[in-house]
Amino acid sequence: MKPFGMIPFFIPHVGCPYVCTFCNQSRITGQSGISHLTPDYIKKTITDYVGKKRNDKFWEVAFYGGSFTAIHRDLQHTLLEPAYEMLQQDIIDGIRCSTRPDAVGDKAITLLQSYGVKTVELGVQSMNDGILVDAKRGHTAQEVVDAVARLKQRGMTVGVQLLPGLKGETWETILETAIAVVKLEPDFVRIYPVLVIENTELADQYRSGEYEPLSTEQAIKYCAFLKEWFEQHNIEVIRTGLQSTEELDSGNSLVAGPYEPAMGELVVNEQYKQRIERCIDEHLSSENLLGKQNDYNFSHFDCYNTHKVGCRFYSDSGDILMKHRIVISYPRSSTSKVRGLKNRNILYFQEMYPQFSIDWCEDNTRNTVRCCIDGLQYML
């Protein structure tokens, strides 16, 4: 398959009937207004993006930043017409837009399809109604369910955008959202941990102490859980964390929150860290350690006179009876994912599991990641 080539056109806040507590699209995108989005500008931008690389990528125009199907129909026609012309001329391969769950009625979908739009991304943010109310979204979780069902019935590709870390977020609400989104069976998901942007109600709530943003580490954990959960249910996560922009990087717009240009990489690192830890937990469970005599030989010590401290086993006299050896093997292509950005996973396991003997080995004879503990293999 060809790599994806997105040609973005931002329409910040256009069509939005509400002002969400967290939202300032102009600050996030570094753009304001849409007066420049004339048909000639749109066609020239598409031509400049594609250039001589027509066959190198799957080129798709994307209208982001507002609620596309909620804007005036005349403006929708104006924006879609030049993109549709390029689609008919085989200069691009597709058109997509983002919008609100409560703005995709049958007429709205019919208009999109008349211009060749095949993908719609919904700003869902959360599937907890309390969080949606606090964020002033103006729609309910049930409206998300209805919108996704309607779009899929019409043959559209559906994406869901989530914002973990809104006011009132907990592990319970994250799990609630994860379970509900899987039931929707979207084609893909984007995950953007909440940032506090200047000139938003959330910024006022933060300064008054009413809202506490996620730490970077908590954001990574939330995102890693969601990504792992969706991938286990065959739902692709196409992005984690906001794309770096000059406006965000300058710090002028960012008040607080887990802004990290390498968020996507850090989340993948966390996924592998958690997988390795699950292998360790499984290996050290009572079932594995004490119930599988074919795999382990404990005849050299009395299990009833030992106790577990960390992951070493000590006799009552304090003598170490066993030290586990772990070998993490991975192909070169997975090195940075497994070891972590700046070796963060290696450092984590050194600090948290000093009693282990852990080797990190690049092995280009395989294309999968393996965790071998005391001779037993676990695939990650």
Side-chain angles (χ1 to χ4, degrees):
M1 296 178 62
K2 294 180 181 179
F4 179 71
M6 186 178 73
I7 308 172
F9 294 98
F10 292 101
I11 53 171
H13 294 294
V14 179
C16 297
Y18 306 96
V19 180
C20 303
T21 60
F22 54 84
C23 193
N24 187 331
Q25 286 289 340
S26 298
R27 287 280 192 173
I28 292 173
T29 64
Q31 298 183 19
S32 60
I34 62 168
S35 59
H36 63 291
L37 294 182
T38 63
D40 287 342
Y41 175 87
I42 291 174
K43 287 190 282 190
K44 183 180 185 304
T45 300
I46 293 172
T47 301
D48 290 344
Y49 262 85
V50 175
K52 297 180 179 180
K53 301 177 181 179
R54 175 64 189 96
N55 296 320
D56 294 349
K57 295 182 178 181
F58 182 92
W59 294 100
E60 194 166 42
V61 165
F63 293 100
Y64 285 145
S67 298
F68 192 88
T69 57
I71 65 179
H72 195 281
R73 290 174 68 87
D74 289 345
L75 182 53
Q76 290 187 58
H77 287 294
T78 299
L79 296 172
L80 288 170
E81 182 64 40
Y84 184 53
E85 288 183 21
M86 304 300 262
L87 180 64
Q88 289 181 307
Q89 296 171 22
D90 196 36
I91 296 173
I92 60 174
D93 300 292
I95 306 171
R96 69 172 61 199
C97 70
S98 62
T99 192
R100 297 173 52 83
D102 55 351
V104 283
D106 286 328
K107 290 183 178 179
I109 298 173
T110 297
L111 188 151
L112 294 179
Q113 291 183 325
S114 70
Y115 283 102
V117 178
K118 294 183 178 180
T119 301
V120 175
E121 297 191 37
L122 297 175
V124 171
Q125 325 314 359
S126 173
M127 290 297 284
N128 177 275
D129 281 329
I131 288 177
L132 293 175
V133 170
D134 280 339
K136 296 185 177 180
R137 284 295 295 163
H139 67 78
T140 64
Q142 184 58 48
E143 286 176 298
V144 174
V145 174
D146 297 339
V148 173
R150 192 178 303 113
L151 287 163
K152 291 175 75 69
Q153 287 170 1
R154 298 288 295 272
M156 303 290 277
T157 298
V158 184
V160 166
Q161 300 173 0
L162 299 176
L163 291 181
L166 288 167
K167 183 181 176 184
E169 193 83 272
T170 63
W171 271 112
E172 287 75 16
T173 60
I174 286 288
L175 182 58
E176 178 184 357
T177 292
I179 293 172
V181 169
V182 165
K183 290 181 180 179
L184 298 176
E185 299 183 346
D187 296 284
F188 62 90
V189 174
R190 295 179 189 265
I191 306 172
Y192 300 120
V194 176
L195 302 179
V196 182
I197 304 299
E198 193 62 89
N199 299 326
T200 63
E201 185 175 343
L202 199 64
D204 296 336
Q205 292 175 347
Y206 166 70
R207 290 187 170 111
S208 70
E210 187 179 349
Y211 171 74
E212 182 179 352
L214 297 178
S215 67
T216 298
E217 288 303 317
Q218 186 63 52
I220 292 171
K221 286 181 170 60
Y222 276 170
C223 292
F225 165 74
L226 289 169
K227 188 170 185 290
E228 188 82 359
W229 178 265
F230 295 139
E231 289 174 345
Q232 287 176 357
H233 290 85
N234 300 312
I235 299 172
E236 183 181 11
V237 177
I238 64 172
R239 185 165 188 87
T240 310
L242 280 176
Q243 186 170 346
S244 175
T245 66
E246 290 184 11
E247 185 69 23
L248 288 173
D249 290 339
S250 69
N252 296 328
S253 300
L254 184 64
V255 176
Y259 176 60
E260 175 55 68
M263 179 60 74
E265 183 177 359
L266 291 170
V267 168
V268 173
N269 295 164
E270 179 68 18
Q271 286 181 276
Y272 274 104
K273 187 192 86 175
Q274 292 181 8
R275 291 170 189 172
I276 294 170
E277 285 194 303
R278 282 198 294 270
C279 291
I280 294 173
D281 290 342
E282 179 181 345
H283 186 80
L284 297 177
S285 67
S286 296
E287 178 183 359
N288 278 340
L289 283 177
L290 301 179
K292 294 186 178 180
Q293 295 300 320
N294 291 334
D295 294 330
Y296 302 95
N297 182 5
F298 292 99
S299 59
H300 62 286
F301 68 93
D302 182 357
C303 294
Y304 292 100
N305 292 322
T306 63
H307 57 278
K308 180 179 172 184
V309 179
C311 288
R312 280 183 178 180
F313 286 78
Y314 296 80
S315 66
D316 288 340
S317 63
D319 297 329
I320 298 174
L321 299 175
M322 179 174 64
K323 182 175 183 179
H324 298 286
R325 183 169 186 267
I326 301 177
V327 179
I328 312 296
S329 303
Y330 43 84
R332 177 171 297 179
S333 59
S334 298
T335 296
S336 62
K337 298 176 183 177
V338 177
R339 295 170 67 98
L341 183 66
K342 298 181 179 179
N343 288 327
R344 64 183 275 125
N345 283 353
I346 293 179
L347 296 174
Y348 171 84
F349 281 99
Q350 287 177 346
E351 179 181 355
M352 298 301 295
Y353 298 87
Q355 67 274 40
F356 275 47
S357 171
I358 306 178
D359 295 322
W360 303 78
C361 304
E362 188 174 291
D363 182 358
N364 288 313
T365 64
R366 62 177 61 252
N367 57 11
T368 57
V369 180
R370 180 184 66 176
C371 177
C372 185
I373 308 177
D374 299 335
L376 288 181
Q377 295 185 22
Y378 300 84
M379 306 307 295
L380 303 187

